Amino acid sequence: MMPQAPRRPTARTRGASTIRPRLPPPIKKLFNVETKEAEDDDVLTKEFSESMKAKIQMDYELDMSLRAQERENHERRLKNLRDLLKTVSQDDWQYTSADKLIGLH
């Protein structure tokens, strides 16, 4: 059998004189004090968040208008290419094909 370690005294085994008295709650509330600095920080935070929101919204609107402009330009280029294809296919009968010129047909 192994020897057992001595037990530490608990609140029950200790005498009443060794129990610590309860401390009263703190008088001041820590970290919940409203000061002018805290109000200034709130104002700065609100101003910063409003300016960031405006910047993000402006960036978004600019991006959307650029995408719309690019889409319109792309559609215009496609329309021009379709018109050019129609013109070329209407004039195709006037010219000898490149395949015949190089001897593939």
Side-chain angles (χ1 to χ4, degrees), residues 25-79:
I27 297 171
K28 284 185 174 180
K29 286 186 177 181
L30 299 178
F31 307 112
N32 288 335
V33 178
E34 291 293 325
T35 62
K36 183 161 177 37
E37 292 173 359
E39 290 173 6
D40 291 343
D41 288 343
D42 289 342
V43 170
L44 291 175
T45 304
K46 287 178 184 176
E47 288 175 1
F48 178 74
S49 64
E50 288 174 4
S51 68
M52 285 302 294
K53 181 181 175 184
K55 182 184 182 309
I56 291 170
Q57 184 176 1
M58 186 173 15
D59 287 345
Y60 176 76
E61 289 175 2
L62 179 64
D63 187 44
M64 294 306 290
S65 63
L66 285 174
R67 285 184 184 184
Q69 184 66 38
E70 288 174 355
R71 187 178 304 117
E72 289 174 8
N73 290 340
H74 182 68
E75 289 173 1
R76 190 176 317 120
R77 285 191 300 268
L78 287 176
K79 183 180 179 294

Side-chain angles (χ1 to χ4, degrees), residues 76-87:
R76 190 176 317 120
R77 285 191 300 268
L78 287 176
K79 183 180 179 294
N80 288 340
L81 287 173
R82 285 187 195 110
D83 292 342
L84 184 61
L85 180 62
K86 286 179 186 177
T87 304

